[in-house]
Structure formats: C-alpha cells, structure tokens
C-alpha cells in the first residue's frame, strides 16, 4: 500500500537513519539477536502490532523484529514521545508507522487503530502501558454487551478511546471480537501496563498469555532506574535550563523509577527529598541519604516536584496552590494522572515552547508544568539512552519469540522470562562496556549450589 504511514515529515528519514546507525552501536543485545536468529527467522508469520514510544531506540527494536521475520505495524504509546526523525526512518524503510510528536488524544487512538490494520489483522501485541491491549479487550466487551462503561467517560482520555471504539464498531461490526480471538499473546514493557494485566487476570478477562517484560531484572532494575537517572535531569534541563545545583527537589515515590530519579537530581547537585507510602522504600530512601518527608511539609519551599509513583492524584490542586513562584512540576510515571492537570485547565496558561507551559495560580504565583503532566523524559527530552533500552528491548524480542514459537504452551496468565534469559540479556551487554566476568570453578559452584554457567541466583533473590 502506498504511503501506509502517518509521520510528521518523511524527509527527516535520512537524519533518522544516521541516528539509528549510531544507536545500533549502543544496542549490543538487539544486534546479537539479529546475528543469532537472522538465519532461522523465528518470527516468520508473526504480525506484531506495537504500541511503544516511537523513538530512535524503538526503531532499532522494530528493525530487529522485522529482521527476525515479523511483519510489524507501529504506533506510539504517548502523544508527546515520538521522535519524528525516527518515525520517518521507519516509514521510509517500509514499516507502517503512525506517530507524530504532539499528536492529539483523538489521533493517538486513531493511530493505534491504524496500527492494527494488517490485511488479516495482527496475531501478537507488543505493548507499553497497555493501551493496545485495552483497545481490543474493551472494544470486544462493548461489542458483546459485557460492559456499559463506554457510556460514562470520566476523563478526556476515556472520551477519546470510547469515540474510537464506537467508530471502529460502526465501520467493522464484530472486529474487536475477531481480534480478541486471534491475538496469541502480548509482551508488556512497563510497570503500569503490567498492573493492568494482573488486574485482567484477577477479573478473568485476559484471553491470551502475557509476558511481563518489565519485571525481568535486566529491564526494571536497569531501564526504570539507570535510564531515569540519565533522562530525568535531561528532560528538566532541555525544558527549563534551570540551575539544578542547590535547588530543593521532591521526588514522589522511591520505587525503581524514583530511585533513578532521585539519583539523577542528586547527581546534578539538587538537594533531594522523597515521599513514600511503602515503609520499605521509605527506609531505603532514608538510608540512601534522602530526607523522607510529607509533600504537605515541603510544598511551599521546594523548587522542583517530580512524580514517579504510577499512582493517581499524587500532586493535587491544593498542593499546587501552595507552591512558590516558578516551581517546576513534572511527572516521569507512565500516565498523566499523577498530577491533577485537569484542575488547572481554567487557569491562565502561557505556552513557553513545545511541552513547556507556565500556569498562573490564583495567588499570582506561576508554575512551570512539563509535558502537560505526561512523562517528561520522553516529552521534553529523548527518553533513555540506547544502551539501557537495548537491555529492555532484548527482553521484548525474546518475549515475542517465546509467544510466537511456544505461545500455545502457556495459559492465559502473566509470565516472566526465565532467569537464564535474564542473565543472557545482561551477558550480551558486558563486552560493550569492557566488563570482565569472573568464572566459578566447579567446587565453588557446588558450594553455593549453582551451575558454573548459571543461573546464579534463586528465583526469590531480589538484586
Ligand atoms: P514501582 O512500583 O517500583 O514504584 C512506585 C513507587 O511509588 C512505590 O514504591 C510506591 O510505594 C510509591 N507510591 C505509590 N503511591 C504513592 C504516593 N501517593 N506517594 C508516594 N509514593 C507512592 O514502579 P516503577 O517501576 O518505579 O514505575 C513507576 C512509574 O513509572 C510507572 O507508571 C511506570 O510505568 C513508569 N515508568 C516510566 C519510565 C519512563 O521512562 N518515564 C520508565 C519505567 C517506568
């Protein structure tokens, strides 16, 4: 099909290709999989719909899936996260992609819908945050009269997804149910999407197996942590150019993303405070040297506020009313409901530049809001660096192969990749950074009860 894509500007493809070539040198895991599986094409016959930030790193993932034999169609999972030159390079290479940085919510769901439009429909989903999975499962439930949720949208997001579901139902009756029946499995990238999957299992609503990529150790303990350590401050700097050293920053949540975010700000010289609800994470934050506080106690003195919780209503309107003039407010969690942005809509907004707004509060104090509360490392900067995304995406490719080749052996439940594959992903990234691994001798291996070649830890080990 001619021009089976929607990108901002296809002439950006050359620039995209140059950055892709560079990214490949930093993504040894993906390149090793191309070498290992290139001849056997284990994904031949797979038709993968991808819903994941359309960045340069994702472009290397897409080209790896295609190299391994898959047909792929792609949309971004966030309205601000696309890198237009990456999307252009993928489109120019012949893979249909529907993604523009700054697309509307309506376009978000329309583009996702378009990414499902293989002539025979897809048979696998690669998801980030769960929107592609939600689209099919919610649509099928509506189609079969199993929910009337669609009649009472409670947010702009829901209005947009429900409108798109209605449109597709009108154009292609029975389509969602057909898709629900033919999808063989989903691999899910992030914490928030994984929560949704476990909820679906609890409700008896997951109709195919799912692989939780997020909880591979080589994903969440690296991307969520070391990725945010690099990309959080990158986003704040590109958005504001503010001096970080000496400022007081509050990080809400001290899970993997919070740990990386606090380290990012501390590394830049900010004085970091943390809020937590979980006593274990609160204790970790304290013992890492951060003061653990209540937001209410620091809201009128801190300079920078970052949510990392994957929870909703963490920064509320009453907090924002107390903040000092020119406080910076942003979120690095998956969805924009961590900050009550909707409650700011009737205030005066001045757009400073793309994804940076100044909002005047009733007191006259102004707030700088990043990416309208959407994940700022991808909205205001270019997300995590390639090297750490290589570890995440190597897990993704292994998960897609597993679902395609052995999906029938799995129940409709959520699975984590086995530890030997997790260790393999790590192993593939050692040489690039000059890591020399020691080798257990047989006596030592027997003494600690492992095989000399791994796995080196029991399942319950927490890293
Ligand atoms: P996590 O579950 O490890 O950490 C979240 C932490 O927030 C937990 O420790 C929890 O106790 C805490 N929390 C929950 N509600 C809170 C509240 N009201 N106040 C203070 N703390 C609260 O999750 P993880 O892996 O750190 O992910 C967090 C979010 O970031 C998710 O939405 C995830 O999808 C997203 N994510 C974003 C990335 C990015 O590049 N922007 C990368 C990876 C994940």
């Amino acid at each position: 099909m001619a021009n089976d894509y929607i990108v901002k500007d296809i002439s950006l493809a050359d620039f995209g290709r140059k950055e892709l070539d560079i990214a490949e040198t930093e993504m040894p895991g993906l390149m090793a999989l191309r070498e290992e599986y290139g001849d056997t094409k284990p994904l031949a016959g797979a038709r993968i719909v991808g819903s994941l930030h359309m960045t340069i790193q994702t472009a290397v993932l897409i080209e790896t899936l295609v190299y391994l034999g898959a047909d792929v169609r792609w949309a971004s999972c966030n309205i601000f996260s696309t890198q237009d030159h990456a999307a252009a390079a993928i489109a120019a290479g012949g893979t249909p992609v529907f993604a523009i940085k700054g697309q509307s919510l309506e376009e978000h769901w329309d583009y996702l819908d378009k990414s499902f439009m293989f002539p025979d429909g897809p048979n696998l989903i690669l998801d980030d945050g769960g929107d592609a999975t939600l689209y099919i499962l919610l649509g099928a439930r509506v189609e079969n009269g199993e929910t009337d949720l669609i009649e009472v949208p409670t947010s702009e997001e829901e209005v947009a997804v429900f409108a798109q579901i209605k449109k597709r139902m009108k154009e292609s009756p029975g389509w969602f149910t057909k898709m629900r029946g033919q999808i063989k499995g989903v691999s899910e990238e992030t914490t928030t999407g994984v929560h949704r999957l476990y909820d679906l299992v609890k409700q008896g609503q997951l109709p195919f197996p799912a692989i939780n990529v997020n909880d591979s150790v080589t994903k969440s303990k690296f991307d969520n942590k070391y990725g945010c350590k690099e990309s959080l401050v990158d986003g704040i700097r590109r958005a504001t150019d503010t001096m970080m050293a000496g400022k007081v920053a509050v990080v809400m949540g001290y899970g993997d993303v919070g740990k990386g975010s606090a380290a990012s700000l501390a590394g830049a010289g900010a004085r970091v405070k943390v809020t937590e609800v979980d006593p274990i994470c609160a204790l970790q934050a304290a013992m890492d040297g951060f003061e653990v506080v209540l937001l209410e106690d620091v809201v009128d003195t801190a300079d920078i506020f970052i949510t990392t919780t994957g929870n909703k209503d963490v920064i509320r309107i009453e907090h924002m009313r107390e903040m000092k003039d020119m406080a910076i407010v942003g979120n690095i969690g998956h969805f924009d409901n961590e900050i009550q942005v909707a409650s700011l809509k009737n205030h005066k907004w001045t757009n400073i530049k793309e994804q940076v707004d100044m909002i005047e509060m009733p007191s006259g104090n102004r707030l700088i809001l990043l990416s309208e509360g959407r994940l700022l490392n991808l909205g205001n900067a270019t997300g995590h660096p390639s090297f750490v995304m290589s570890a995440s995406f190597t897990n993704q490719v292994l998960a897609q192969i597993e679902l395609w080749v052995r999906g029938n052996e799995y129940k409709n439940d959520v699975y984590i990749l086995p530890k030997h594959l997790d260790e393999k992903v790590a192993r593939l990234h050692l040489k690039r950074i000059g890591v020399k691994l020691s080798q257990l001798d047989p006596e030592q291996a027997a003494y600690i009860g492992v095989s000399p070649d791994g796995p080196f830890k029991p399942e319950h080990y927490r890293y």
Side-chain angles (χ1 to χ4, degrees), residues 190-192 224 255-257 276 281 308-311 332-334 377 384:
T190 199
T191 317
T192 288
N224 304 26
D256 293 318
V257 170
E276 249 298 346
C281 298
T308 78
T309 68
N311 205 343
I332 195 167
H334 189 79
N377 59 329
H384 300 343

Side-chain angles (χ1 to χ4, degrees), residues 283-294:
L283 189 60
Q284 283 180 315
M287 294 185 71
D288 283 340
F290 300 114
E291 198 183 337
V292 183
V293 298
L294 299 180

Side-chain angles (χ1 to χ4, degrees), residues 233-301:
V233 159
D234 186 18
I236 300 172
R237 284 200 207 283
R238 292 201 209 191
T240 65
D241 287 325
T242 199
M243 179 83 178
M244 221 73 68
K247 294 272 165 60
V248 175
V250 187
V251 173
M252 278 140 278
Y254 203 70
D256 293 318
V257 170
K259 289 179 177 73
S261 298
S264 185
L265 290 156
R271 290 176 285 158
V272 180
K273 299 177 196 271
V274 168
T275 74
E276 249 298 346
V277 294
D278 177 338
I280 296 177
C281 298
L283 189 60
Q284 283 180 315
M287 294 185 71
D288 283 340
F290 300 114
E291 198 183 337
V292 183
V293 298
L294 299 180
L295 178 57
E296 289 71 21
D297 292 341
V298 293
V299 74
D300 56 343
T301 49

